[in-house]
Amino acid sequence: MIDLRVKDFMTHQPPRITSATLLADAVTIIENSDQDSAVVIDDEKVVGLLSERDCLKTLISNSYHCEGAPKASEFMKSSISTVDAEDNILDVASKVVNGVGGFCEQTCFPVMQQGVFVGLIGVKGLVEALNQHYKTCKAY
């Protein structure tokens, strides 16, 4: 079995916003990171995720009409799956591929350790970890 842990491939300082962050500011924060989502944290608790995809429809409309100042809370996903820092990469990747527990709807997952938010891992990190392991196989 592959013994690769989420903690070894997660982003330790991912983009963070609050639910009150203006959408335009949230998009800028995401764009300035290497992730496609920002973790929404209020009062030190993970309350959601906001992805570029979540923002797209609103940006199309607001850019066209130049109106409104929407907040992250209006578009973030609040029902999200998290992973533990000690979770096995293969187990998490399998959940993503098989859509277990809503995993197929997310591209990034807040990483928790003893109930505390410690990072973010995305599909890109999962692919990187598994590809790195694959390159050590005799078949490669």
Side-chain angles (χ1 to χ4, degrees), residues 51-78:
S51 71
E52 291 172 324
R53 185 177 190 147
D54 297 330
C55 302
L56 191 56
K57 184 177 179 181
T58 302
L59 286 173
I60 290 170
S61 175
N62 284 12
S63 294
Y64 183 79
H65 297 290
C66 286
E67 60 188 24
K71 295 181 181 170
S73 60
E74 297 173 51
F75 306 98
M76 69 182 200
K77 286 182 179 68
S78 56

Side-chain angles (χ1 to χ4, degrees), residues 1 10-11 22 37 41 54 56-57 60 70 72 77 83 85 88 90 93-94 97 102 106 117 132 136 140:
M1 171 109 178
M10 70 183 188
T11 300
L22 293 177
S37 301
I41 299 177
D54 297 330
L56 191 56
K57 184 177 179 181
I60 290 170
K77 286 182 179 68
V83 297
N88 186 295
L90 187 58
S94 293
V97 170
Q106 288 177 230
F117 172 71
Q132 181 178 323
T136 67
Y140 182 78

Side-chain angles (χ1 to χ4, degrees), residues 65-118:
H65 297 290
C66 286
E67 60 188 24
K71 295 181 181 170
S73 60
E74 297 173 51
F75 306 98
M76 69 182 200
K77 286 182 179 68
S78 56
S79 179
I80 59 170
S81 298
T82 62
V83 297
D84 191 89
E86 293 297 330
D87 283 350
N88 186 295
I89 288 285
L90 187 58
D91 293 339
V92 174
S94 293
K95 288 179 182 179
V96 170
V97 170
N98 296 317
V100 176
F103 271 69
C104 66
E105 296 177 13
Q106 288 177 230
T107 57
C108 289
F109 307 91
V111 180
M112 309 301 283
Q113 190 167 36
Q114 298 177 349
V116 176
F117 172 71
V118 294

